[in-house]
Amino acid sequence: MKAPKAIITGATSGIGTGYVNSLAKKGWNLIITGRRIARLNKLKKEITQKYHVNVIAIPADFTCDEDIKLLLETIDYEDQIDLLINNAGFGQNKNFFENSIEEQQKMLKVHITATSKLIHHVVPKMILNQEGAIINVSSLSAFLPASNSYYYSASKAFLVSFSESLHIDLAGKNIKVQVLCPGFTQTEFHSRQGLGEAKSWLARKILWRSVDQVVNKSLKSLGRKRIICIPGFVNQCIYHILNIMPKRYYYYLASNRSNLVNPQNQKTVEAEVIASHTH
Ligand SMILES: NC(=O)c1ccc[n+]([C@@H]2O[C@H](COP(=O)([O-])OP(=O)(O)OC[C@H]3O[C@@H](n4cnc5c(N)ncnc54)[C@H](OP(=O)(O)O)[C@@H]3O)[C@@H](O)[C@H]2O)c1
């Protein structure tokens, strides 16, 4: 029997590498992507030697249209893709008015454009093969709009809604869809934004998950009834509370939190808005 094949974007660290290890261990052949070429090739070598699976490594920066095009062309040579994991992503811990529009729109290219192009390209193959699965990695932030994550929360919310539409369309065609919404996960995601992990042991224990916990929950839940997959009991409670909490309370809490975290925030935003309207 032919080994199943998966595409994993953002494979060079964190949750992406977690998926790579977990699937390779089960004998899956893989197509992996990321910008850091040395890491990508090292991972390919390690996985190939350890699990004797076929790995194709394709360096790609998803803010670059040409790179996405090359990735799609490589996929054209594949007649069978069983699982597509759209995991590549990043955060920007800056307020909308403190960051250039051009910089912020790169996030839309990675989270939205690359993801939807890959899905558009791969699903017809799955339909032909009469089976397949898609995991889109969103975030708990999709349900938590905040002052320092306009584009992050909005683009992750897009992925939730988009995945639900996909599920409605593809469930009858034997194609499983999951949108994974992790909370804090121990990866390079926060340090790359200049942020640290929670200092208190209790916060780390209650709120933070390991990559293995997140990836295991995702792969175990794929194909079950719930399309939105939220690893961690506390994160699930937060999600359910948000669903029933009147929005005005959420806005009050979120604006106070952002002013507490950064008391300069309100002043900076006001100053930026005034400056942009007077120039
Ligand atoms: N860690 C958390 O607390 C957390 C919580 C909720 C959701 N998430 C989501 O989980 C996903 C994985 O993040 P992670 O936590 O594993 O962080 P990570 O270790 O920083 O991994 C992010 C991955 O995305 C790739 N990537 C980033 N920008 C890219 C670009 N322009 N083009 C192509 N690939 C790019 C990175 O590869 P290169 O740098 O090599 O390109 C890397 O492999 C992200 O979508 C993130 O939003 C994370």
Side-chain angles (χ1 to χ4, degrees):
M1 212 177 82
K2 226 175 168 183
K5 183 170 283 175
I7 302 173
I8 303 168
T9 70
T12 45
S13 57
I15 297 172
T17 304
Y19 279 119
V20 169
N21 281 305
S22 188
L23 293 173
K25 210 173 177 177
K26 294 177 187 141
W28 285 63
N29 293 326
L30 303 172
I31 297 175
I32 58 174
T33 78
R35 287 168 304 178
R36 289 167 293 179
I37 299 176
R39 277 203 194 199
L40 199 63
N41 289 335
K42 188 167 172 260
L43 183 65
K44 173 183 168 166
K45 198 173 163 198
E46 280 170 8
I47 291 298
T48 314
Q49 284 173 355
K50 198 167 173 191
Y51 300 112
H52 310 290
V53 293
N54 293 327
V55 180
I56 301 173
I58 305 171
D61 179 347
F62 287 169
T63 63
C64 169
D65 293 338
E66 195 55 34
D67 282 10
I68 299 180
K69 197 169 156 244
L70 283 173
L71 173 62
L72 299 182
E73 281 169 8
T74 312
I75 295 169
D76 280 340
Y77 290 104
E78 304 293 331
D79 54 0
Q80 172 209 356
I81 300 291
D82 302 280
L83 173 60
L84 167 64
I85 304 181
N86 287 301
N87 163 74
F90 63 98
Q92 286 172 335
N93 185 34
K94 280 185 183 168
N95 181 276
F96 176 67
F97 299 103
E98 291 171 333
N99 199 358
S100 77
I101 281 288
E102 291 73 23
E103 200 49 41
Q104 295 180 78
Q105 288 193 338
K106 287 182 182 168
M107 190 177 279
L108 301 186
K109 285 208 150 187
V110 178
H111 293 178
I112 296 180
T113 310
T115 299
S116 39
K117 279 188 176 175
L118 276 162
I119 291 171
H120 198 263
H121 216 73
V122 166
V123 164
K125 288 183 197 292
M126 293 181 173
I127 292 176
L128 261 180
N129 290 334
Q130 297 180 341
E131 63 179 340
I134 298 161
I135 298 174
N136 292 323
V137 181
S138 173
S139 167
L140 199 59
S141 293
F143 315 104
L144 292 159
S147 162
N148 58 352
S149 67
Y150 279 46
Y151 272 80
Y152 188 74
S153 296
S155 59
K156 293 298 187 180
F158 172 96
L159 289 179
V160 174
S161 173
F162 190 86
S163 304
E164 290 183 302
S165 298
L166 268 181
H167 166 68
I168 291 165
D169 216 14
L170 299 178
K173 299 183 173 71
N174 198 26
I175 300 174
K176 299 165 192 156
V177 177
Q178 176 186 93
V179 57
L180 175 70
C181 299
F184 294 118
T185 312
Q186 289 148 354
T187 68
E188 295 171 23
F189 179 83
H190 297 92
S191 61
R192 290 174 107 182
Q193 296 174 62
L195 300 168
E197 282 191 13
K199 285 201 174 67
S200 105
W201 175 86
L202 194 65
R204 279 204 307 276
K205 186 90 189 144
I206 293 176
L207 288 174
W208 287 74
R209 306 278 99 196
S210 70
V211 165
D212 284 348
Q213 285 173 319
V214 169
V215 168
N216 289 343
K217 172 78 182 171
S218 162
L219 292 176
K220 263 192 188 164
S221 311
L222 186 60
R224 302 238 174 103
K225 271 188 194 150
R226 286 208 181 96
I227 303 311
I228 302 175
C229 173
I230 300 176
F233 176 72
V234 174
N235 291 331
Q236 282 171 22
C237 291
I238 293 173
Y239 169 73
H240 290 301
I241 290 168
L242 287 168
N243 269 337
I244 53 171
M245 181 193 268
K247 277 284 186 190
R248 63 180 186 280
Y249 294 136
Y250 174 76
Y251 301 145
Y252 175 78
L253 289 171
S255 68
N256 277 297
R257 185 195 168 274
S258 86
N259 291 338
L260 279 176
V261 171
N262 181 4
Q264 283 301 310
N265 197 32
Q266 203 55 36
K267 282 185 201 151
T268 315
V269 172
E270 281 160 15
E272 291 286 334
V273 174
I274 291 166
S276 69
H277 283 80
T278 48
H279 286 151

